[in-house]
C-alpha cells in the first residue's frame, strides 16, 4: 500500500472511515476483555452494552432528532423493568386463590370513579361555572377521588402483602414483557409530553428529573406490586440458561458462554431490526421534517408543521426504546431491584453515551453506548489492579498501604467518565461520529 493510499485510508475527516476505525477499536477492546476475563464476561459485557445501546438510541431520537431534554430515563427504565417482571415471573397462586384480585378490582373501580369525577369537574364551565369557582371544584374533585381510591387500595395492598407477598407475574415469555415495557413507557411518555413539551430546554429537563423521581418512588414503594426493596428474582430468560446447558452435560464455564452469547444473538437481531427502521425513517421525509423543527421550530411552525405534535411523536418513540432497554436489562440480570436504580447509572451514563458518540447519528449512539459502557465496567477492576500494585509498592517503601481500595476503585469510574467527556468535548465537540447532513444535488 502506497503512502498516499494509506493516508487516504487514515483520513479521519471521512465519517465512514472514522466509523470503521472506531468500531474496529471497540472490537479489539472486547477481544482484550474476553482474553483477560474470559468469554463469559465478554458475553455479559456485550449483552448489557447492547441493551444500553437501545436506550441510547431512544435518547438520540429525543435529543439528537428533536432537541428534547429528557432526564426521565431512569424512571422509564424502571417502568420497563416492572413490566417484564410482571409478565415473565411465574404465577403467584397465593394471590389468585385469595381475595387479592377482588380487592384490586374494587381499587380499580375506585380509580375510575375518581377519574370520572375529575373529568366531570373539568366540564362545569358548560353550565356557567367559570374562573375561581371552576378551579375550586376541580381541586375538590381531585381530593375526593384521591380519598375514594386510597380507601380501597390501602386495604388491598395490606392484604396482598400479608397473605401473598405480592401479586406475582403471568409466567409468559419475557419478550412479551419487553414489548409491554415499551408500550407502558410510551403511555407514560405521552402523558409527560402532553404536560411538559410546552416547556423549553432547561425547564423541560427539570420537569423530567422530577417525574423520574416520582416514578422511582412509586415503583420502590408499591410492595404489593413490585416487592419494593425485597427484589424479585429470578427473572426468566427467553433463551436457555446456563443451568439448562449444564443439565445436558456442558461444563460450567462453557455453559455461561453459550447462554450469554445466545442472549446476545437474540439482542443483535432485535436491535438490528429496530436500528434499520429508525435509520430508514430518519433518512426520509419524516427525518427531514424533524431536523427542520429541531433547528428552527418557529420557521417550521410558520410553514404549517405541528411542532408540538411532532415533538410528542419523538418523545414517545424514544421512550418506547428506553422502556424496552430497561426491560431487557432486568431480564438479563435476572433480578428486579427498584433500590438499585441510581441517576448516575441510569440517566447520566446514557447521556454521556449519546454526547460522546454523536447526537443525531444512530451509529454514533451505538458507538458511544458500546464504548462508554465497556469503559464504565472495566474501569473498576482495572483501577483495583493499579491501586493494589501501588499499595504494594507503597508498603515496600515504608509509606503504608492504600486504604479502602475497593471503594476508591469504584469511584474511579466517575473520574474516568469525566476525563472521557472532557477529551471528547475538546477534540470532538459534536461527538466521535457527528450527524451527517445529506443534501440533494
Amino acid at each position: 500500500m502506497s503512502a498516499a493510499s494509506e493516508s487516504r485510508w487514515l483520513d479521519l475527516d471521512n465519517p465512514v472511515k472514522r466509523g470503521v476505525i472506531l468500531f474496529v477499536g471497540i472490537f479489539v477492546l472486547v477481544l482484550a476483555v474476553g482474553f483477560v476475563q474470559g468469554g463469559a464476561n465478554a458475553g455479559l459485557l456485550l449483552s448489557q452494552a447492547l441493551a444500553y445501546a437501545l436506550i441510547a438510541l431512544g435518547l438520540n431520537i429525543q435529543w439528537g432528532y428533536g432537541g428534547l431534554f429528557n432526564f426521565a430515563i431512569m424512571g422509564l427504565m424502571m417502568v420497563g423493568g416492572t413490566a417484564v417482571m410482571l409478565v415473565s415471573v411465574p404465577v403467584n397462586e397465593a394471590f389468585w386463590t385469595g381475595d387479592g384480585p377482588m380487592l384490586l378490582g374494587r381499587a380499580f373501580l375506585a380509580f375510575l370513579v375518581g377519574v370520572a369525577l375529575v373529568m366531570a369537574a373539568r366540564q362545569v364551565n358548560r353550565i356557567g361555572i367559570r374562573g375561581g369557582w371552576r378551579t375550586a371544584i376541580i381541586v375538590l374533585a381531585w381530593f375526593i377521588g384521591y380519598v375514594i381510591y386510597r380507601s380501597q387500595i390501602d386495604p388491598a395492598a395490606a392484604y396482598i402483602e400479608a397473605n401473598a407477598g405480592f401479586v406475582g407475574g403471568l409466567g409468559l415469555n419475557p419478550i412479551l414483557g419487553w414489548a409491554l415495557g415499551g408500550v407502558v413507557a410510551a403511555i407514560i411518555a405521552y402523558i409527560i409530553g402532553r404536560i411538559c413539551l410546552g416547556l423549553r430546554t432547561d425547564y423541560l429537563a427539570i420537569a423530567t428529573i422530577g417525574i423520574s423521581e416520582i416514578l422511582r418512588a412509586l415503583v420502590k414503594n408499591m410492595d404489593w406490586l413490585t416487592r419494593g426493596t425485597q427484589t424479585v428474582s429470578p427473572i426468566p430468560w427467553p433463551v436457555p440458561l446456563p443451568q439448562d446447558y449444564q443439565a445436558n452435560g456442558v461444563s460450567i464455564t462453557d455453559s455461561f458462554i453459550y447462554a450469554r452469547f445466545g442472549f446476545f444473538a437474540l439482542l443483535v437481531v432485535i436491535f438490528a431490526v429496530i436500528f434499520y427502521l429508525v435509520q430508514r425513517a430518519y433518512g426520509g421525509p419524516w427525518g427531514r421534517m424533524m431536523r427542520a423543527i429541531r433547528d428552527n421550530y418557529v420557521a417550521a411552525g410558520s410553514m404549517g408543521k405541528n411542532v408540538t405534535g411532532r415533538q410528542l411523536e419523538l418523545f414517545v418513540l424514544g421512550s418506547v426504546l428506553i422502556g424496552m432497554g430497561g426491560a431487557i436489562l432486568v431480564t438479563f440480570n435476572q433480578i428486579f431491584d427498584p433500590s438499585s436504580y441510581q441517576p448516575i447509572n441510569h440517566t447520566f451514563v446514557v447521556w454521556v453515551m449519546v454526547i460522546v458518540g454523536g447526537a443525531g447519528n444512530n451509529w454514533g449512539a451505538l458507538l458511544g453506548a458500546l464504548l462508554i459502557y465497556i469503559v464504565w465496567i472495566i474501569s473498576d477492576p482495572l483501577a483495583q489492579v493499579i491501586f493494589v500494585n501501588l499499595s504494594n509498592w507503597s508498603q515496600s517503601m515504608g509509606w503504608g498501604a492504600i486504604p479502602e481500595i475497593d471503594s476508591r476503585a469504584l469511584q474511579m469510574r466517575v473520574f474516568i467518565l469525566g476525563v472521557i467527556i472532557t477529551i471528547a468535548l475538546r477534540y470532538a465537540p459534536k461527538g466521535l461520529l457527528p450527524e451527517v447532513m445529506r443534501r440533494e444535488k
Side-chain angles (χ1 to χ4, degrees), residues 13 59 111 113-114 125 167 170 172 184 208 215 221-222 236 245 266-267 271 284 289 316 372 392 395 401:
D13 290 334
L59 179 61
F111 174 78
V113 170
N125 59 313
V167 298
L170 299 176
L172 301 176
V184 176
T208 52
L215 290 173
N221 292 285
M222 296 173 71
Y245 287 103
L266 175 63
L267 291 189
F271 184 86
M289 176 181 63
V316 171
I372 295 302
N392 293 335
Q395 284 181 298

Side-chain angles (χ1 to χ4, degrees), residues 32-53:
V33 172
F35 179 76
V36 175
Q37 298 185 345
N41 280 332
L44 179 145
L45 198 61
L46 284 171
S47 298
Q48 292 178 334
L50 198 56
Y52 268 98

Side-chain angles (χ1 to χ4, degrees), residues 70 116 121 163-164 170-171 185 191 241 277 295 306 353 364 370 377 438:
N70 177 20
N163 295 276
L170 299 176
I191 297 172
L241 289 163
L277 294 175
D295 295 338
N306 184 354
M353 291 172 179
L370 296 176
I377 294 300
R438 291 182 175 84

Side-chain angles (χ1 to χ4, degrees), residues 2 17 32 40 81 83 113 146 183 189-190 211 227 238 306 336 344 364 388 420:
S2 66
K17 293 179 181 178
V113 170
Y146 175 77
V183 171
Y190 179 80
I211 291 169
R227 294 197 74 201
N306 184 354
F336 179 66
I344 189 169
V388 167
I420 291 175

Side-chain angles (χ1 to χ4, degrees), residues 61-68 200-201 282 286-303 305 307 310-311 314 359-360 430 435-439:
I61 291 173
Q62 297 171 338
W63 166 244
Y65 292 6
L68 303 176
R200 297 299 176 191
T201 59
Y282 193 55
W286 180 83
R288 291 193 290 273
M289 176 181 63
M290 293 305 179
R291 286 193 294 272
I293 292 174
R294 178 197 64 190
D295 295 338
N296 194 331
Y297 66 90
V298 175
S302 66
M303 296 177 66
K305 304 300 181 183
V307 174
R310 299 291 78 78
Q311 289 178 334
L314 290 177
K430 294 183 179 180
E435 182 180 14
V436 177
M437 294 294 187
R438 291 182 175 84
R439 304 186 184 280

Side-chain angles (χ1 to χ4, degrees), residues 56-367:
L57 185 63
L59 179 61
N60 186 54
I61 291 173
Q62 297 171 338
W63 166 244
Y65 292 6
L68 303 176
F69 280 87
N70 177 20
F71 284 97
I73 300 170
M74 179 185 66
L76 295 173
M77 289 176 65
M78 291 187 74
V79 168
T82 303
V84 73
M85 181 270 294
L86 294 174
V87 168
S88 61
V89 166
V91 174
N92 186 355
E93 296 293 343
F95 166 74
W96 292 102
T97 56
D99 293 333
M102 178 191 67
L103 294 174
L104 281 185
R106 291 179 179 176
F108 181 68
L109 289 176
F111 174 78
L112 293 180
V113 170
V115 171
L117 283 174
V118 173
M119 296 299 293
R122 290 174 61 87
Q123 303 301 320
V124 295
N125 59 313
R126 295 187 177 184
I127 58 175
I129 301 177
R130 295 181 174 84
W133 284 107
R134 178 176 180 269
T135 302
I137 292 175
I138 292 175
V139 172
L140 181 62
W142 272 101
F143 176 75
I144 295 174
Y146 175 77
V147 171
I148 293 174
Y149 173 69
R150 291 304 298 263
S151 70
Q152 298 299 317
I153 192 62
D154 287 346
Y159 174 86
I160 293 170
E161 291 173 20
N163 295 276
F166 80 122
V167 298
L170 299 176
L172 301 176
N173 192 295
I175 296 179
L176 297 176
W178 300 352
L180 180 62
V183 171
V184 176
I187 294 172
I188 293 176
Y190 179 80
I191 297 172
I192 295 173
R194 293 283 294 180
I195 298 172
C196 300
L197 284 184
L199 304 174
R200 297 299 176 191
T201 59
D202 49 345
Y203 295 103
L204 177 61
I206 293 170
T208 52
I209 289 173
I211 291 169
S212 179
E213 291 300 323
I214 291 172
L215 290 173
R216 178 165 71 159
L218 285 174
V219 174
K220 194 173 179 179
N221 292 285
M222 296 173 71
D223 291 0
W224 61 273
L225 183 66
T226 65
R227 294 197 74 201
T229 57
Q230 299 181 57
T231 75
V232 178
S233 180
I235 307 295
W237 272 18
V239 297
L241 289 163
Q243 296 86 333
D244 300 324
Y245 287 103
Q246 293 168 24
N248 293 323
V250 179
S251 67
I252 295 177
T253 301
D254 290 343
S255 68
F256 277 92
I257 294 175
Y258 296 158
R260 288 174 178 176
F261 275 97
F263 197 104
F264 175 69
L266 175 63
L267 291 189
V268 168
V269 173
I270 294 174
F271 184 86
V273 172
I274 294 174
F275 189 90
Y276 173 77
L277 294 175
V278 172
Q279 191 79 348
R280 285 293 302 272
Y282 193 55
W286 180 83
R288 291 193 290 273
M289 176 181 63
M290 293 305 179
R291 286 193 294 272
I293 292 174
R294 178 197 64 190
D295 295 338
N296 194 331
Y297 66 90
V298 175
S302 66
M303 296 177 66
K305 304 300 181 183
N306 184 354
V307 174
T308 303
R310 299 291 78 78
Q311 289 178 334
L312 185 60
E313 283 182 11
L314 290 177
F315 197 76
V316 171
L317 179 57
S319 298
V320 170
L321 301 187
I322 294 172
M324 287 183 62
I328 291 170
L329 283 173
V330 167
T331 301
F332 183 80
N333 295 329
Q334 289 194 277
I335 184 171
F336 179 66
D337 182 7
S339 62
S340 68
Y341 288 85
Q342 300 296 329
I344 189 169
N345 295 340
H346 300 94
T347 296
F348 177 69
V349 168
V350 180
W351 269 97
V352 174
M353 291 172 179
V354 174
I355 292 172
V356 172
N361 188 331
N362 294 325
W363 289 104
L366 173 59
L367 175 71

